[in-house]
Amino acid sequence: MKLHNTMDKTVFPTVGLVEWFRVGEHARVHQALADLKELGVADLRTGVSWADYYTAEGKAWYDWLIPTLAKEVNVLPCFLYTPPSLGERPRTSSPPRDKKAYADFLDVFITDLGEHFDWVELWNEPNNKVEYDFTQDYGWFKFAEMVGGAAYWCKQRGKKTLLGGMSPIDPNFLLTMYERGVMAHIDAIGIHGFPDVFDQLWDGWAENIRAVREVMERYNGTAELWITEAGFSTWQHDEFKQLQEFKEVLKADVSRVYWYGLHDLNASLPTVGGFHVDEREYHFGLKKADGTSKLLYRLWAKHGIEQLQHLNYIKRSLTEDTGKYTLITGGAGFVGTNMAKRLLEQGKRVLIFDSLTRDGVEQNLQWLHETYPGQLEVYVGDIRDQQTVRQVMKKAEAVFHYAAQVAVTTSLDLPINDFEVNARGIINVLEAIREQETPPPLVFTSTNKVYGGLEDLKFISNGSRYYPADTTIKKYGISEARPLDFHSPYGCSKGAADQYVLDYARTYNLPLAVFRMSCIYGPHQYGNEDQGWVAHFAIRAIEDKPISIYGDGKQVRDILFVEDLVDAFVLALEHIDEVKGQAFNIGGGAENTVSLLELLKTIGKYNGKEIPLQFGDWRPGDQHYYVSDTRKFQQATGWYPKHNVQEGVAKLYQWLCENRGLEVHLTLPSEIEKKEPVKKVALA
């Protein structure tokens, strides 16, 4: 079935998913069904292990599994794996001693559970030695006897038959099956393809399918042709390539496509080939083993299959002919989008490098793509992929590094991932910069969390906020002289990255600077309670939902409007020779502080009603008070924030409303009069 348009609607092959379940994985089955429902998928190919069936728990497991799946989806069971006690050798890939035993097993299974499925798939990857040991069966004579007999009997039992998918796609194997007489009882032929993973010399789906159909036509074959397994492993963090390969397989001239698979394999378990013998095996899922979704899953769930072909802003536009640009890693995020906007408005070329992991960033990227089509380059990729980072760095004139894992809570759940993104990611960036003949300047966004919980400081509760007992800190905030104290995996990974940047600047004499940022807010922010909490509070208020506060809500932060932060980035680049090798605390400063309770009161005024609150326990490492002492950067560059809290929050609230298509009747606070830039600020 070729992909074609009917009344402007693209018609695809029937699309299903592949997921194998181990005996006893009840919870994972229910999760898989929920995922299939979210994706709108009604077809599932799953394995039925002949070997497992005859274990103590096996029959009861399949008596539960098949009906449970069949209530929600169309099940395609694939029957494979010889019980070792029945094999010519004691392994699941062995031909059985009695070739009829396979058909007998299918007969029993169909008698018990056949009402739940219409098709049976006979073995899996018979030309893959791991799945079927053809070295014990030169010429596939035994296989033909086993599968041919089973196919004949399944037809007698009223089932349609599918010849297990070839991997690699081998027309010679199919020709052998015709010559052995197997195809007389086969209704569909399966093929597998894993471009650039297991199939490194890949000629494309069209060429492989053409070769298979030539054999079918030679024997006047009438069977359907299915892709029973296709996929791409993201073991090198290339989720964009997984998306592209899925879009390619949808164009294949076949009746059905089953995409492998739903979930990455559990790293603590072995594959058929052994325990982590081939790391690629563990990363074929649409979701990671921890349950987080990859790019293809998110886009599929949000847009549906039909729209995936039209998301032209999710791309890799970088070519050999691309000119020089400013590189923004994490450029589709909140800060990156605002930085890109400023540069693009100035007529500069910008390359957005982003994995699109965070909620809302896809919308930001689409907005940038549509607003600045002539100057914007996009490369969807991952900061953990060293070769990709090297590639995007080659024509960079300047670098703003925002790509990061940004939540303390996420770092507590997934500390290895947090380390790889934040700490390993910065090493990839720094090494790529160091390789350049003229190393581009870098501004890196660190965090105030490098100063820890500030437990040694005394804070006084007064009304709706905390104040530091230290009068100097109360007047100016926390300075860069504060000793570093990394708390949480997030604090450690960002702190390590912070120090690596400073050391590379010193050791290799590179033009690099660090911003230890406080709370930033503004347009294009899609915040949650862990990160971007100013926007999160406003969003919850607009959507008339309660807000959870951890602690008493008197925590104080200096919040900085994003346009003022962008001003600081621009000035840092302009003054890179003076600021390189240094770290700067950046936030709203002592003049732009607010407690959580005070912020919520302000948002409540804009919203027209009081916001319902829920209070929970303090979270470990949460600072009662953090305000940036920004005098060091002010002295170096003349920077100062131009938006106060009331004006900045009002602008954010208005943008969030307009972004949701809501009418806003909000009187913005008057614009702050422009001050003359302060060239020097006393540090004493």
Side-chain angles (χ1 to χ4, degrees), residues 411-460:
S411 78
L412 293 170
D413 293 334
L414 304 169
I416 294 177
N417 178 73
D418 175 82
F419 173 84
E420 288 180 343
V421 173
N422 292 345
R424 176 57 195 261
I426 192 63
I427 290 295
N428 289 341
V429 169
L430 293 172
E431 282 295 286
I433 288 175
R434 193 163 72 92
E435 289 176 0
Q436 306 309 309
E437 184 175 342
T438 304
L442 165 79
V443 178
F444 169 66
T445 50
S446 182
T447 171
N448 61 36
K449 294 294 188 293
V450 299
Y451 298 121
L454 309 178
E455 290 92 348
D456 61 309
L457 300 181
K458 184 179 178 181
F459 298 104
I460 302 168

Short mmCIF file of all heavy atoms in Angstrom, two decimals, residues 411-460:
data_model
loop_
_atom_site.label_atom_id
_atom_site.label_comp_id
_atom_site.label_asym_id
_atom_site.label_seq_id
_atom_site.Cartn_x
_atom_site.Cartn_y
_atom_site.Cartn_z
N SER A 411 16.82 15.89 39.40
CA SER A 411 18.18 15.42 39.67
C SER A 411 18.19 14.40 40.80
O SER A 411 19.02 13.48 40.81
CB SER A 411 19.10 16.59 40.01
OG SER A 411 18.93 17.04 41.35
N LEU A 412 17.29 14.53 41.75
CA LEU A 412 17.20 13.56 42.84
C LEU A 412 16.70 12.21 42.34
O LEU A 412 17.13 11.16 42.81
CB LEU A 412 16.27 14.10 43.94
CG LEU A 412 16.77 15.34 44.69
CD1 LEU A 412 15.66 15.91 45.56
CD2 LEU A 412 17.98 15.00 45.53
N ASP A 413 15.79 12.24 41.36
CA ASP A 413 15.24 11.00 40.80
C ASP A 413 16.20 10.36 39.80
O ASP A 413 16.32 9.14 39.74
CB ASP A 413 13.90 11.27 40.12
CG ASP A 413 12.81 11.68 41.10
OD1 ASP A 413 12.91 11.29 42.28
OD2 ASP A 413 11.89 12.40 40.69
N LEU A 414 16.87 11.20 39.00
CA LEU A 414 17.71 10.71 37.90
C LEU A 414 19.08 11.39 37.94
O LEU A 414 19.43 12.18 37.06
CB LEU A 414 17.02 10.99 36.55
CG LEU A 414 15.60 10.42 36.39
CD1 LEU A 414 14.95 10.99 35.14
CD2 LEU A 414 15.63 8.91 36.34
N PRO A 415 19.89 11.08 38.96
CA PRO A 415 21.16 11.80 39.10
C PRO A 415 22.16 11.54 37.99
O PRO A 415 22.94 12.43 37.65
CB PRO A 415 21.69 11.29 40.46
CG PRO A 415 20.98 9.99 40.70
CD PRO A 415 19.64 10.13 40.06
N ILE A 416 22.15 10.34 37.40
CA ILE A 416 23.10 10.06 36.32
C ILE A 416 22.76 10.91 35.10
O ILE A 416 23.63 11.51 34.47
CB ILE A 416 23.11 8.56 35.97
CG1 ILE A 416 23.68 7.75 37.15
CG2 ILE A 416 23.94 8.32 34.71
CD1 ILE A 416 23.66 6.25 36.92
N ASN A 417 21.48 10.97 34.77
CA ASN A 417 21.05 11.80 33.65
C ASN A 417 21.40 13.26 33.90
O ASN A 417 21.87 13.98 33.01
CB ASN A 417 19.55 11.65 33.44
CG ASN A 417 19.02 12.52 32.33
OD1 ASN A 417 19.23 12.27 31.16
ND2 ASN A 417 18.31 13.58 32.69
N ASP A 418 21.18 13.72 35.13
CA ASP A 418 21.50 15.10 35.50
C ASP A 418 22.98 15.37 35.28
O ASP A 418 23.37 16.41 34.72
CB ASP A 418 21.12 15.31 36.97
CG ASP A 418 21.52 16.68 37.48
OD1 ASP A 418 20.77 17.64 37.24
OD2 ASP A 418 22.58 16.79 38.12
N PHE A 419 23.83 14.43 35.70
CA PHE A 419 25.27 14.60 35.52
C PHE A 419 25.65 14.62 34.05
O PHE A 419 26.45 15.47 33.61
CB PHE A 419 26.02 13.46 36.22
CG PHE A 419 27.50 13.46 35.94
CD1 PHE A 419 28.35 14.25 36.68
CD2 PHE A 419 28.03 12.67 34.92
CE1 PHE A 419 29.72 14.26 36.41
CE2 PHE A 419 29.39 12.68 34.65
CZ PHE A 419 30.24 13.48 35.40
N GLU A 420 25.10 13.70 33.27
CA GLU A 420 25.48 13.62 31.85
C GLU A 420 25.10 14.88 31.10
O GLU A 420 25.86 15.35 30.25
CB GLU A 420 24.80 12.40 31.22
CG GLU A 420 25.39 11.07 31.66
CD GLU A 420 24.71 9.90 31.00
OE1 GLU A 420 23.60 10.08 30.45
OE2 GLU A 420 25.28 8.80 31.03
N VAL A 421 23.94 15.45 31.40
CA VAL A 421 23.51 16.65 30.68
C VAL A 421 24.31 17.87 31.14
O VAL A 421 24.84 18.62 30.32
CB VAL A 421 22.00 16.89 30.89
CG1 VAL A 421 21.58 18.22 30.28
CG2 VAL A 421 21.20 15.75 30.26
N ASN A 422 24.41 18.05 32.44
CA ASN A 422 25.00 19.28 32.96
C ASN A 422 26.52 19.26 33.01
O ASN A 422 27.18 20.22 32.58
CB ASN A 422 24.45 19.58 34.35
CG ASN A 422 22.98 19.95 34.32
OD1 ASN A 422 22.43 20.26 33.28
ND2 ASN A 422 22.33 19.90 35.47
N ALA A 423 27.09 18.19 33.54
CA ALA A 423 28.55 18.14 33.70
C ALA A 423 29.24 17.64 32.44
O ALA A 423 30.17 18.28 31.94
CB ALA A 423 28.90 17.27 34.90
N ARG A 424 28.78 16.50 31.91
CA ARG A 424 29.39 16.01 30.67
C ARG A 424 29.08 16.95 29.51
O ARG A 424 29.90 17.18 28.63
CB ARG A 424 28.90 14.60 30.36
CG ARG A 424 29.41 14.03 29.03
CD ARG A 424 30.93 14.02 28.99
NE ARG A 424 31.44 13.83 27.65
CZ ARG A 424 31.86 12.66 27.17
NH1 ARG A 424 31.81 11.59 27.91
NH2 ARG A 424 32.34 12.58 25.95
N GLY A 425 27.90 17.53 29.53
CA GLY A 425 27.51 18.44 28.45
C GLY A 425 28.45 19.63 28.34
O GLY A 425 28.84 20.02 27.24
N ILE A 426 28.84 20.21 29.49
CA ILE A 426 29.73 21.37 29.41
C ILE A 426 31.11 20.97 28.93
O ILE A 426 31.77 21.74 28.21
CB ILE A 426 29.80 22.11 30.77
CG1 ILE A 426 30.50 23.47 30.60
CG2 ILE A 426 30.56 21.28 31.80
CD1 ILE A 426 29.76 24.43 29.70
N ILE A 427 31.57 19.77 29.28
CA ILE A 427 32.88 19.32 28.77
C ILE A 427 32.84 19.19 27.25
O ILE A 427 33.79 19.58 26.55
CB ILE A 427 33.26 17.97 29.42
CG1 ILE A 427 33.59 18.18 30.89
CG2 ILE A 427 34.45 17.35 28.70
CD1 ILE A 427 34.81 19.02 31.13
N ASN A 428 31.74 18.65 26.72
CA ASN A 428 31.60 18.56 25.26
C ASN A 428 31.69 19.95 24.62
O ASN A 428 32.35 20.14 23.59
CB ASN A 428 30.28 17.90 24.89
CG ASN A 428 30.25 16.43 25.21
OD1 ASN A 428 31.29 15.78 25.39
ND2 ASN A 428 29.06 15.86 25.27
N VAL A 429 31.02 20.92 25.23
CA VAL A 429 31.03 22.29 24.70
C VAL A 429 32.42 22.90 24.80
O VAL A 429 32.94 23.49 23.83
CB VAL A 429 29.99 23.15 25.45
CG1 VAL A 429 30.17 24.63 25.10
CG2 VAL A 429 28.58 22.70 25.12
N LEU A 430 33.06 22.78 25.95
CA LEU A 430 34.37 23.39 26.15
C LEU A 430 35.43 22.79 25.24
O LEU A 430 36.27 23.50 24.68
CB LEU A 430 34.79 23.26 27.61
CG LEU A 430 33.96 24.05 28.63
CD1 LEU A 430 34.36 23.68 30.05
CD2 LEU A 430 34.09 25.55 28.39
N GLU A 431 35.38 21.47 25.07
CA GLU A 431 36.35 20.83 24.19
C GLU A 431 36.11 21.24 22.73
O GLU A 431 37.07 21.44 21.97
CB GLU A 431 36.27 19.31 24.34
CG GLU A 431 36.96 18.78 25.58
CD GLU A 431 38.46 19.03 25.53
OE1 GLU A 431 39.16 18.33 24.77
OE2 GLU A 431 38.93 19.96 26.23
N ALA A 432 34.85 21.38 22.35
CA ALA A 432 34.55 21.82 20.98
C ALA A 432 35.03 23.25 20.75
O ALA A 432 35.52 23.59 19.66
CB ALA A 432 33.05 21.70 20.71
N ILE A 433 34.91 24.09 21.76
CA ILE A 433 35.42 25.46 21.66
C ILE A 433 36.94 25.45 21.54
O ILE A 433 37.53 26.14 20.72
CB ILE A 433 34.97 26.29 22.88
CG1 ILE A 433 33.47 26.59 22.78
CG2 ILE A 433 35.78 27.58 22.99
CD1 ILE A 433 32.91 27.30 24.00
N ARG A 434 37.57 24.64 22.37
CA ARG A 434 39.04 24.59 22.41
C ARG A 434 39.64 24.11 21.09
O ARG A 434 40.77 24.45 20.75
CB ARG A 434 39.48 23.69 23.56
CG ARG A 434 40.95 23.80 23.91
CD ARG A 434 41.21 23.21 25.29
NE ARG A 434 41.11 21.76 25.32
CZ ARG A 434 42.14 20.93 25.14
NH1 ARG A 434 43.34 21.43 24.87
NH2 ARG A 434 41.97 19.63 25.21
N GLU A 435 38.88 23.32 20.33
CA GLU A 435 39.36 22.80 19.05
C GLU A 435 39.43 23.87 17.96
O GLU A 435 40.11 23.69 16.95
CB GLU A 435 38.45 21.67 18.55
CG GLU A 435 38.55 20.38 19.34
CD GLU A 435 37.56 19.35 18.84
OE1 GLU A 435 36.80 19.66 17.88
OE2 GLU A 435 37.52 18.25 19.39
N GLN A 436 38.68 24.96 18.13
CA GLN A 436 38.56 25.94 17.06
C GLN A 436 39.83 26.78 16.94
O GLN A 436 40.49 27.10 17.93
CB GLN A 436 37.35 26.85 17.32
CG GLN A 436 36.04 26.12 17.52
CD GLN A 436 35.76 25.11 16.43
OE1 GLN A 436 35.81 25.42 15.24
NE2 GLN A 436 35.44 23.88 16.84
N GLU A 437 40.14 27.12 15.71
CA GLU A 437 41.33 27.95 15.46
C GLU A 437 41.20 29.30 16.15
O GLU A 437 42.16 29.82 16.73
CB GLU A 437 41.51 28.14 13.95
CG GLU A 437 42.76 28.89 13.58
CD GLU A 437 42.97 28.95 12.07
OE1 GLU A 437 42.35 28.14 11.35
OE2 GLU A 437 43.74 29.81 11.62
N THR A 438 39.99 29.86 16.09
CA THR A 438 39.68 31.07 16.85
C THR A 438 38.54 30.73 17.79
O THR A 438 37.36 30.77 17.40
CB THR A 438 39.26 32.23 15.92
OG1 THR A 438 40.30 32.47 14.96
CG2 THR A 438 38.99 33.50 16.73
N PRO A 439 38.82 30.37 19.03
CA PRO A 439 37.76 29.92 19.95
C PRO A 439 36.72 31.01 20.18
O PRO A 439 37.07 32.16 20.51
CB PRO A 439 38.52 29.61 21.24
CG PRO A 439 39.93 29.33 20.81
CD PRO A 439 40.15 30.26 19.65
N PRO A 440 35.46 30.71 19.99
CA PRO A 440 34.41 31.71 20.20
C PRO A 440 34.20 31.97 21.68
O PRO A 440 34.41 31.09 22.52
CB PRO A 440 33.17 31.05 19.59
CG PRO A 440 33.42 29.58 19.72
CD PRO A 440 34.90 29.41 19.54
N PRO A 441 33.79 33.18 22.05
CA PRO A 441 33.50 33.47 23.45
C PRO A 441 32.25 32.71 23.91
O PRO A 441 31.33 32.47 23.12
CB PRO A 441 33.27 34.98 23.47
CG PRO A 441 32.88 35.32 22.07
CD PRO A 441 33.61 34.36 21.19
N LEU A 442 32.22 32.36 25.19
CA LEU A 442 31.11 31.60 25.77
C LEU A 442 30.60 32.30 27.02
O LEU A 442 31.38 32.73 27.87
CB LEU A 442 31.57 30.20 26.16
CG LEU A 442 30.65 29.41 27.09
CD1 LEU A 442 29.49 28.81 26.31
CD2 LEU A 442 31.39 28.31 27.83
N VAL A 443 29.28 32.41 27.13
CA VAL A 443 28.64 32.80 28.38
C VAL A 443 27.83 31.61 28.86
O VAL A 443 26.96 31.10 28.13
CB VAL A 443 27.74 34.04 28.21
CG1 VAL A 443 27.06 34.38 29.53
CG2 VAL A 443 28.55 35.22 27.70
N PHE A 444 28.13 31.15 30.06
CA PHE A 444 27.50 29.95 30.62
C PHE A 444 26.57 30.34 31.77
O PHE A 444 26.94 31.16 32.63
CB PHE A 444 28.57 29.00 31.14
CG PHE A 444 28.03 27.87 31.97
CD1 PHE A 444 27.22 26.89 31.40
CD2 PHE A 444 28.33 27.78 33.32
CE1 PHE A 444 26.72 25.85 32.17
CE2 PHE A 444 27.84 26.74 34.10
CZ PHE A 444 27.02 25.78 33.52
N THR A 445 25.38 29.74 31.79
CA THR A 445 24.42 30.02 32.85
C THR A 445 24.53 28.97 33.94
O THR A 445 24.11 27.83 33.78
CB THR A 445 22.99 30.08 32.31
OG1 THR A 445 22.72 28.91 31.53
CG2 THR A 445 22.79 31.31 31.45
N SER A 446 25.10 29.39 35.05
CA SER A 446 25.16 28.57 36.25
C SER A 446 23.95 28.92 37.13
O SER A 446 22.94 29.44 36.62
CB SER A 446 26.49 28.80 36.98
OG SER A 446 26.60 27.98 38.11
N THR A 447 24.03 28.66 38.41
CA THR A 447 22.86 28.83 39.28
C THR A 447 23.29 29.28 40.67
O THR A 447 24.42 29.01 41.12
CB THR A 447 22.11 27.49 39.41
OG1 THR A 447 21.10 27.60 40.41
CG2 THR A 447 23.04 26.35 39.78
N ASN A 448 22.38 29.94 41.36
CA ASN A 448 22.65 30.31 42.75
C ASN A 448 22.71 29.10 43.68
O ASN A 448 23.17 29.20 44.82
CB ASN A 448 21.62 31.32 43.27
CG ASN A 448 20.20 30.78 43.26
OD1 ASN A 448 19.94 29.61 43.50
ND2 ASN A 448 19.25 31.67 42.99
N LYS A 449 22.29 27.93 43.18
CA LYS A 449 22.34 26.71 44.00
C LYS A 449 23.77 26.28 44.31
O LYS A 449 23.98 25.43 45.17
CB LYS A 449 21.60 25.58 43.29
CG LYS A 449 20.09 25.81 43.13
CD LYS A 449 19.38 25.84 44.47
CE LYS A 449 17.87 25.87 44.32
NZ LYS A 449 17.37 27.12 43.73
N VAL A 450 24.75 26.88 43.62
CA VAL A 450 26.14 26.53 43.94
C VAL A 450 26.54 27.03 45.32
O VAL A 450 27.56 26.59 45.87
CB VAL A 450 27.12 27.08 42.87
CG1 VAL A 450 26.81 26.50 41.50
CG2 VAL A 450 27.12 28.60 42.85
N TYR A 451 25.74 27.91 45.91
CA TYR A 451 26.03 28.41 47.25
C TYR A 451 25.33 27.61 48.34
O TYR A 451 25.42 27.96 49.52
CB TYR A 451 25.63 29.89 47.35
CG TYR A 451 26.40 30.79 46.41
CD1 TYR A 451 25.73 31.56 45.46
CD2 TYR A 451 27.79 30.87 46.47
CE1 TYR A 451 26.43 32.39 44.59
CE2 TYR A 451 28.49 31.70 45.61
CZ TYR A 451 27.81 32.46 44.67
OH TYR A 451 28.51 33.27 43.81
N GLY A 452 24.63 26.55 47.94
CA GLY A 452 24.01 25.67 48.92
C GLY A 452 22.80 26.29 49.59
O GLY A 452 22.15 27.21 49.09
N GLY A 453 22.48 25.77 50.78
CA GLY A 453 21.27 26.20 51.48
C GLY A 453 21.45 27.41 52.37
O GLY A 453 20.49 27.85 53.01
N LEU A 454 22.68 27.96 52.44
CA LEU A 454 22.97 29.15 53.27
C LEU A 454 22.60 28.91 54.73
O LEU A 454 22.12 29.81 55.44
CB LEU A 454 22.22 30.38 52.73
CG LEU A 454 22.37 30.68 51.23
CD1 LEU A 454 21.53 31.89 50.84
CD2 LEU A 454 23.83 30.91 50.87
N GLU A 455 22.84 27.67 55.20
CA GLU A 455 22.41 27.30 56.55
C GLU A 455 23.12 28.08 57.65
O GLU A 455 22.61 28.20 58.77
CB GLU A 455 22.63 25.80 56.78
CG GLU A 455 21.70 24.89 55.99
CD GLU A 455 22.30 24.47 54.65
OE1 GLU A 455 23.32 25.07 54.26
OE2 GLU A 455 21.74 23.57 54.03
N ASP A 456 24.30 28.60 57.35
CA ASP A 456 25.05 29.32 58.39
C ASP A 456 24.51 30.73 58.63
O ASP A 456 24.87 31.37 59.62
CB ASP A 456 26.52 29.41 58.00
CG ASP A 456 26.73 30.16 56.69
OD1 ASP A 456 26.04 29.80 55.70
OD2 ASP A 456 27.54 31.09 56.66
N LEU A 457 23.66 31.21 57.73
CA LEU A 457 23.12 32.56 57.87
C LEU A 457 21.84 32.53 58.71
O LEU A 457 21.07 31.57 58.66
CB LEU A 457 22.81 33.17 56.51
CG LEU A 457 24.00 33.33 55.55
CD1 LEU A 457 23.54 33.97 54.24
CD2 LEU A 457 25.11 34.16 56.18
N LYS A 458 21.63 33.59 59.46
CA LYS A 458 20.42 33.71 60.27
C LYS A 458 19.41 34.56 59.53
O LYS A 458 19.74 35.63 59.00
CB LYS A 458 20.75 34.34 61.62
CG LYS A 458 19.55 34.41 62.56
CD LYS A 458 19.94 35.02 63.90
CE LYS A 458 18.71 35.12 64.82
NZ LYS A 458 19.06 35.75 66.12
N PHE A 459 18.16 34.07 59.49
CA PHE A 459 17.10 34.80 58.80
C PHE A 459 15.98 35.10 59.79
O PHE A 459 15.63 34.28 60.64
CB PHE A 459 16.57 34.00 57.62
CG PHE A 459 17.60 33.73 56.57
CD1 PHE A 459 18.18 32.47 56.46
CD2 PHE A 459 18.02 34.73 55.72
CE1 PHE A 459 19.14 32.22 55.51
CE2 PHE A 459 18.99 34.49 54.76
CZ PHE A 459 19.55 33.23 54.65
N ILE A 460 15.42 36.28 59.65
CA ILE A 460 14.38 36.75 60.56
C ILE A 460 13.06 36.82 59.80
O ILE A 460 12.97 37.42 58.73
CB ILE A 460 14.74 38.15 61.12
CG1 ILE A 460 16.09 38.08 61.85
CG2 ILE A 460 13.63 38.67 62.03
CD1 ILE A 460 16.67 39.45 62.17
#
